């Protein structure tokens, strides 16, 4: 089966611009998660979708971040306007169930650099 | 609030050495614990998943143990190779809600040829 796909793999944008990250989960996985790692810090949870619904968005840093999951398939994470502190690697993961006995499958991430 | 700590932060060993990476967590109410590997510029690769009811899991040269009551897990790598050089991450999943993972900051391993 295809894995979790994220694109772009890298994005460099100027402060104040808008960037949209995309994640395609493994087919059939209802649960989709976004995480991010900023420089020198641990990977942190952003939010969790169950199909198209946001189950938990407690990790979203502020209202400049907007996540959507159209029709319960792929998901996008938009940052508008981007700030310097948004730089980092954004990971997407998916699983069949939230308390998966097989854990998550992560994508390779999108490295975002805001200059 | 769950906190995950990994020690050491960095480790450099000669090829062939057996080594142990440590992970500790503050709340023993976990659903499972997962060890990941991250290569520079790459994503996360799952190495081993231990359910809360299990004590250890093995895959090839890797063995992960879990002592939930003391809030500790170890990842044992036997006969290390230069290809094992990477950052190793420990993550624990909660027992309710979204079961989201809480990650440690990782151990950066370098195996010298």
């Amino acid at each position: 089966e295809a894995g979790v796909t994220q694109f772009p793999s890298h994005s460099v944008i100027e402060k104040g611009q808008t960037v949209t990250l995309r994640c395609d989960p493994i087919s059939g996985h209802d649960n989709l998660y976004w995480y991010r790692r900023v420089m020198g810090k641990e990977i942190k949870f952003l939010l969790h979708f169950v199909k198209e619904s946001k189950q938990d968005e407690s990790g979203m840093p502020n209202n400049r971040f907007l996540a959507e999951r159209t029709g319960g398939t792929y998901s996008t994470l938009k940052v508008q306007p981007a700030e310097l502190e948004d730089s980092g690697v954004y990971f997407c993961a998916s699983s069949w169930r939230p308390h998966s006995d097989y854990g998550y499958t992560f994508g390779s991430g999108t490295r975002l650099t805001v200059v | 609030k769950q906190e995950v700590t990994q020690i050491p932060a960095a480790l450099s060993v000669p090829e062939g050495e057996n080594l142990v990476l440590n992970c500790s967590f503050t709340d023993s109410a976990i659903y499972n614990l997962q060890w990941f590997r991250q290569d520079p510029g790459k994503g996360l690769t799952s190495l081993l998943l231990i359910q809360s009811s299990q004590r250890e899991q093995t895959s090839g040269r890797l063995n992960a143990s879990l002592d939930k009551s003391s809030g500790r897990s170890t990842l044992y790598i036997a006969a290390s190779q230069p290809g094992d050089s990477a950052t190793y991450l420990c993550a624990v999943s909660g027992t309710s809600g979204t079961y989201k993972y809480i990650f440690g900051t990782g151990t950066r391993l370098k195996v010298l040829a």
Side-chain angles (χ1 to χ4, degrees):
Chain A
E1 69 182 358
V4 176
T5 305
Q6 291 186 249
F7 51 92
S9 56
H10 293 86
S11 180
V12 180
I13 62 171
E14 293 183 350
K15 177 182 171 180
Q17 289 186 323
T18 297
V19 63
T20 300
L21 314 181
R22 174 167 168 153
C23 169
D24 286 49
I26 291 173
S27 178
H29 281 192
D30 287 340
N31 293 274
L32 186 149
Y33 305 82
W34 284 96
Y35 286 77
R36 77 169 179 177
R37 184 171 196 171
V38 297
M39 185 67 71
K41 303 276 188 172
E42 68 272 22
I43 297 172
K44 286 192 174 179
F45 168 83
L46 294 177
L47 87 160
H48 170 209
F49 281 101
V50 178
K51 298 185 180 179
E52 67 276 7
S53 300
K54 293 175 185 175
Q55 184 76 8
D56 180 354
E57 52 185 329
S58 61
M60 296 288 265
N62 51 61
N63 58 11
R64 294 186 293 103
F65 289 75
L66 175 65
E68 295 179 324
R69 190 177 182 194
T70 306
T73 55
Y74 70 91
S75 174
T76 58
L77 180 64
K78 179 189 289 187
V79 185
Q80 179 182 29
E83 298 289 345
L84 298 178
E85 64 263 26
D86 300 332
S87 296
V89 182
Y90 290 76
F91 293 102
C92 175
S94 71
S95 66
W96 179 44
R97 296 186 300 174
H99 51 293
S100 172
D101 291 336
Y102 301 98
Y104 295 173
T105 301
F106 276 84
S108 55
T110 293
R111 181 173 296 276
L112 174 64
T113 303
V114 182
V115 297
Chain B
K1 178 187 171 187
Q2 180 73 273
E3 292 183 3
V4 181
T5 303
Q6 291 188 246
I7 295 173
L11 183 63
S12 185
V13 300
E15 182 177 6
E17 193 162 297
N18 302 324
L19 55 101
V20 175
L21 307 182
N22 297 291
C23 171
S24 61
F25 46 95
T26 54
D27 185 351
S28 61
I30 65 171
Y31 189 80
N32 59 41
L33 181 148
Q34 200 163 358
W35 282 94
F36 294 90
R37 166 184 174 142
Q38 185 179 19
D39 294 281
K42 301 290 179 69
L44 302 176
T45 301
S46 178
L47 297 174
L48 289 164
L49 173 71
I50 310 178
Q51 301 298 340
S52 61
S53 58
Q54 297 176 321
R55 297 284 293 185
E56 66 178 335
Q57 283 287 335
T58 298
S59 176
R61 295 183 293 108
L62 304 179
N63 175 277
S65 68
L66 174 64
D67 184 343
K68 199 174 68 165
S69 61
S70 67
R72 293 182 182 184
S73 176
T74 61
L75 178 66
Y76 175 83
I77 303 177
S80 59
Q81 303 171 356
D84 295 330
S85 298
T87 296
Y88 290 80
L89 297 160
C90 164
V92 297
S93 172
T95 56
S96 62
T98 63
Y99 302 89
K100 62 192 176 192
Y101 277 101
I102 307 297
F103 282 82
T105 50
T107 294
R108 197 167 57 253
L109 172 66
K110 187 168 186 178
V111 181
L112 305 169

